[in-house]
Amino acid sequence: MSDLDVYKSQNFGNRIGFGRRAALVIVDFTVGFNDPALFGGGNIDAAVKRSVALLAFFRARRLPVAHTRVVYADDGADAGTFAMKAPRLLMLTEHHPAAQIVPELVPASGELVVRKTQASGFFGTGLAPWLTRQGVDTVVIAGCTTSGCVRATVVDSTSLNFRTVVARDCVGDRAQGPHEANLFDMGQKYADLLERDEIVATLANAGDPR
């Protein structure tokens, strides 16, 4: 019996689908996480490039968009155990070049930029109430890393009862093994996995009730 067969036999992996209104959350596509010499590598750059058209679609449809960045105080006063596991993250301060969102995906006016010190874009931030104010019930997630901040954001999104969709070709990781393993697990337990073009087609056909 394959791994997938085991999950199917236990009735995991059911589709959640889209709700009334979707938002795009782009997790940590920053210069440092797209630099193999710092925190990047693997398929992250390819995921950044795939995300350009996804972001353009959400903007054209005037759907909510949020971006997350890891940002620590200059003196590291807000650092916790997450930074103990990966102390190099402390270089990601507000104005450090590596902490800036990649040029291809620079936020536009009206898009939320979430600064965070933990893996999840929701933990200790205003992301959830902002999405609620936008009338959002469905969160589409792109970003990096699949096994780290993307996964943490997906789990919290589902825990907050947002319908959660991972744009599987718009998320990336520095290593392929963790990327694939975490996509599989998220797809079975927490989120729907769809390619970028499937997401675009679904939302284009559904329209936006607003």
Side-chain angles (χ1 to χ4, degrees):
M1 183 179 287
S2 71
D3 290 343
L4 184 57
D5 289 335
V6 171
Y7 281 81
K8 282 184 175 179
S9 72
Q10 297 179 6
N11 203 21
F12 283 93
N14 293 285
R15 289 289 292 272
I16 300 169
F18 289 80
R20 299 179 305 277
R21 182 167 166 85
L24 175 63
V25 175
I26 302 177
V27 179
D28 295 0
F29 269 158
T30 59
V31 172
F33 278 99
N34 197 34
D35 183 350
L38 292 176
F39 309 106
N43 63 341
I44 293 176
D45 187 60
V48 167
K49 290 178 169 56
R50 293 288 296 173
S51 298
V52 172
L54 184 63
L55 175 58
F57 173 81
F58 271 77
R59 287 173 172 170
R61 304 286 291 193
R62 297 183 179 178
L63 291 169
V65 174
H67 308 253
T68 76
R69 310 167 53 203
V70 176
V71 178
Y72 287 101
D74 290 345
D75 62 359
D78 52 357
T81 54
F82 183 42
M84 292 173 68
K85 290 296 291 185
R88 200 177 193 186
L89 291 172
L90 292 174
M91 70 186 291
L92 300 175
T93 55
E94 179 64 36
H95 300 294
H96 195 287
Q100 309 310 309
I101 292 170
V102 295
E104 301 96 319
L105 302 171
V106 168
S109 176
E111 295 176 358
L112 180 68
V113 178
V114 176
R115 291 159 176 83
K116 63 189 181 76
T117 59
Q118 304 297 328
S120 170
F122 288 98
F123 188 89
T125 76
L127 179 56
W130 183 81
L131 291 169
T132 299
R133 288 197 303 273
Q134 309 304 315
V136 167
D137 63 354
T138 304
V139 176
V140 175
I141 295 180
C144 67
T145 61
T146 313
S147 60
C149 294
V150 167
R151 182 192 173 93
T153 302
V154 165
V155 172
D156 279 358
S157 178
T158 300
S159 298
L160 290 163
N161 283 321
F162 291 106
R163 295 170 183 256
T164 306
V165 179
V166 175
R168 64 175 304 144
D169 53 343
C170 297
V171 295
D173 209 314
R174 61 182 64 86
Q176 193 66 20
H179 171 73
E180 294 294 343
N182 280 275
L183 278 178
F184 178 87
D185 198 57
M186 287 189 289
Q188 294 304 311
K189 298 175 183 174
Y190 306 114
D192 291 349
L193 306 184
L194 296 175
E195 301 292 316
R196 179 196 67 188
D197 294 347
E198 293 178 283
I199 293 169
V200 168
T202 299
L203 291 175
N205 290 332
D208 181 7
R210 289 197 160 189

